[in-house]
Each structure stands twice: as C-alpha cells, then as structure tokens.
Amino acid sequence: MQKRILITGAAGFLGSHLCDRFIKEGMSVVAMDNLITGDLKNIEHLFKLEQFEFYHHDVSKFIHVPGQLDYILHFASPASPIDYLKIPIQTLKVSSLGSHNVLGLARVKNARVLVASTSEVYGDPHVHPQTEEYWGNVNPVGPRGCYDEAKRFMEAITMAYHDYHGLETRIIRIFNTYGPRMRLNDGRVLPAFIGQALRGEDLTMFGDGSQTRSFCYVDDLVEGIYRLLMSDYHLPVNIGNPSEITIKEFGEEILKLTGAKQKLISLPLPKDDPKQRRPDITKAKEILGWEPKVSRAEGLKITYDYFKSLSKDDLNKVEHRTFN
C-alpha cells in the first residue's frame, strides 16, 4: 500500500522541496500551510498530481486529516528574523500549539513524526562548533526569543510524547540553508545580499561582518531529513554544512558571483545576533551516513540563477502577507 505523508509548512521554502522529494519517493503527499509566509507558487507544479493534496489550514488550530498517515513532517513556522519581529505570537503558537496538535494527530494515526528544530536553540553559543549535547545560550525575553524558545518547547514536547506515549519521533536541528524558492525579502543574509545585488543596491551587513555562518544547500538538507526520518534515532541531530565563512567574506563572494559594482556597508548589529554558527555533524555522519555534497560555489550559482529569473515585482517586493 502506498505510504502517505503529511507535510506542514508545505508551501514554504523547505516544505516545498520536501513535497518534491517524497513524491519522488513514491509516497502520497498531504500538504498543509496557512500561507502566512508560504506561497502556492512553490507547489503549484504538484497540484495536477493524483498523489498530492493540499489543505489550507493553520496547524495551531485542531488538525483533521482523514485516512491513514504513515509519516508527518512538522515544518510549519515562520523562519526568518523579519518574521519573528512582525508575527511573534504566530511564531510561538505554531511551534507550541501547532506541535501539540501535530503530535496528537501522529498518536491517533500511529504515524512517525519528524519535527523541524533549528540551530537557533543554541542561541549565541559559547561552544563552537555546536554539538547536540550543548544546551545553548538563549535570551528568552529578547527579540529572537519567540522563535528560539518556541523551538526549544517543541523539542521538549516531542520528547515527552516519545517517552510518555511511546510515539515514534525524530528531531532535526537545521542550520542555515539556502536554495531556490527562498523569499527574497525574508531578512536572511543570502537572499538579502543577492536581492540587493540584483537591484543595484549596496550590500548591507550587520556589525563588522566578522560573525560567521555555515550555509547548506537545500538538496543536501532534504537528503539529511529523509535519512533521519527513515532512521531509528529519536534524539536531536544537527543537519548543516560545517564549512564556515564570515558574513564579510560571504558578501564579497556574492559581489563576485553577481558581478555587482556596489560595495559592502555596515549597519548596527541586531540584539542577540549569534556571533558564530557552525554545526558539529559527527552524529549525522555516524548515524545517518550523511554529509553535505554540494559546494557553496555550486549551490550559490543555482540559487543566483533562480533569483535572476524572478519578475521585477518579486524582486522589489518588500512586505510579506500580514496576519493577525
């Protein structure tokens, strides 16, 4: 019998790529999104398929999906600094109430569930690179707290369902990921730099650009998610690319890639912005046999080609949808 998977946040950047992957794996995909930050354009190519269905629904409200479910991927959540500031309450609700609803559904359906956590659970880390055993340095009342603490709660309730109800659960901690279908206006450094280069604007970095990030191409991440879902490991696993670069060096790479004549300019550093971000992927290598394959140069070229193909309207769009 064909396996059936529910993917929440399916119209978003990562969710849409996961829909593609699980369709390719021969599964029937149930996609769910409330379209606050997701876009139907990301999944419209799948609507014609018999094994694909879409529910326009907010997971922080009760979820009903008729029929069997074998797997659930919980990827619904705003995931960029601009989102946390504009829709902090929705950000908290989707990983708390939403996670509760998803885990309850998984229990009723006897489905294995994988929840999308984040490197943000490590906050502004005192340990570098970050291992899964590090508990983090998070400010619960700072501007990023609504995202960081919601994801930490999500991990805690997922473990509670695993320990108390015996639910089959998986937890992925996702580090910076990039690729086609990212929102140009989402406030993250890669789309911000490429968007600015394409619009002829100076590239804006925060502080002196000495803070570091590690960028993983989306296809590599999706492969890691697939392997973790199919594994029998229930504790958190970091998935990301350990190749670390400063924001200043990264801006220079983007200027070179795009041939832009603008310059890098500095803005004040936001509160609680992590100074270092790099995953220790020892567990992913040992347990899943996974490591990233796509080089930054290769991934950036594909991503740049995607952004170049966008309409002028998309390129200049500043706001995403508002939501109460």
Side-chain angles (χ1 to χ4, degrees):
M1 196 171 172
Q2 190 178 43
K3 297 282 189 190
R4 191 163 179 247
I5 185 168
L6 168 65
I7 301 175
T8 74
F13 163 48
L14 293 181
S16 64
H17 285 279
L18 288 166
C19 289
D20 289 341
R21 174 62 186 263
F22 284 92
I23 291 279
K24 272 187 191 156
E25 294 293 337
M27 292 194 198
S28 173
V29 170
V30 181
M32 187 173 284
D33 206 300
N34 66 353
L35 305 177
I36 301 188
T37 58
D39 195 323
L40 286 178
K41 279 196 279 194
N42 291 332
I43 51 172
E44 63 187 359
H45 60 288
L46 299 173
F47 276 85
K48 61 183 182 292
L49 302 178
E50 199 178 302
Q51 65 271 41
F52 181 80
E53 53 191 307
F54 177 74
Y55 286 73
H56 183 194
H57 182 71
D58 180 347
V59 296
S60 63
K61 298 181 172 68
F62 176 78
I63 305 169
H64 173 67
V65 177
Q68 135 236 2
L69 282 177
D70 301 283
Y71 304 107
I72 301 175
L73 298 181
H74 183 31
F75 276 71
S77 176
S80 82
I82 280 182
D83 296 335
Y84 321 149
L85 297 174
K86 286 184 178 172
I87 43 175
I89 294 165
Q90 287 72 31
T91 301
L92 282 156
K93 283 168 71 175
V94 73
S95 290
S96 55
L97 302 176
S99 297
H100 189 205
N101 290 335
V102 163
L103 290 161
L105 179 67
R107 190 173 165 230
V108 167
K109 300 289 187 183
N110 196 25
R112 180 181 299 177
V113 58
L114 181 150
V115 299
S117 189
T118 169
S119 59
E120 295 290 337
V121 299
Y122 300 123
D124 187 5
H126 292 154
V127 169
H128 192 74
Q130 292 81 58
T131 67
E132 289 86 350
E133 287 71 34
Y134 177 52
W135 293 349
N137 174 42
V138 172
N139 176 2
V141 295
R144 304 172 80 98
C146 62
Y147 184 66
D148 303 357
E149 295 294 8
K151 291 295 190 179
R152 288 160 73 95
F153 174 86
M154 183 181 73
E155 290 194 12
I157 194 172
T158 298
M159 287 305 299
Y161 265 79
H162 173 83
D163 294 337
Y164 188 76
H165 291 302
L167 192 65
E168 278 203 64
T169 58
R170 307 289 181 264
I171 300 171
I172 182 172
R173 288 183 182 155
I174 298 170
F175 282 69
N176 294 71
T177 304
Y178 70 98
R181 302 181 196 157
M182 288 189 93
R183 282 180 14 236
L184 254 185
N185 59 328
D186 80 352
R188 284 183 272 198
V189 64
L190 187 147
F193 277 175
I194 293 183
Q196 287 166 335
L198 287 171
R199 290 190 297 268
E201 301 164 5
D202 287 335
L203 275 59
T204 52
M205 64 182 179
F206 296 115
D208 61 3
S210 62
Q211 64 272 43
T212 68
R213 296 294 182 267
S214 308
F215 297 99
C216 183
Y217 187 64
V218 64
D219 289 359
D220 283 334
L221 184 86
V222 165
E223 178 63 27
I225 292 164
Y226 180 79
R227 291 189 188 199
L228 180 58
L229 180 67
M230 297 304 165
S231 77
D232 58 4
Y233 190 75
H234 71 277
L235 292 171
V237 178
N238 290 338
I239 299 286
N241 192 319
S243 173
E244 189 178 14
I245 186 172
T246 70
I247 295 298
K248 187 170 189 293
E249 290 167 337
F250 185 62
E252 287 160 357
E253 278 190 8
I254 297 294
L255 287 172
K256 190 174 173 189
L257 170 72
T258 59
K261 300 290 181 262
Q262 301 95 277
K263 57 186 184 297
L264 269 170
I265 59 171
S266 180
L267 295 177
L269 199 63
K271 187 172 167 55
D272 303 329
D273 191 54
K275 311 295 182 299
Q276 293 179 303
R277 189 51 61 75
R278 180 185 167 208
D280 181 311
I281 60 167
T282 306
K283 273 195 170 63
K285 285 179 175 175
E286 290 174 354
I287 296 164
L288 310 177
W290 177 90
E291 60 184 316
K293 299 278 191 285
V294 181
S295 71
R296 196 167 59 245
E298 187 186 346
L300 281 177
K301 185 179 182 319
I302 299 166
T303 308
Y304 177 51
D305 288 344
Y306 165 77
F307 283 134
K308 270 198 305 189
S309 73
L310 294 177
S311 70
K312 199 164 184 184
D313 282 350
D314 284 332
L315 198 56
N316 290 294
K317 198 185 287 178
V318 178
E319 300 288 327
H320 64 64
R321 296 165 192 75
T322 55
F323 199 80
N324 295 323

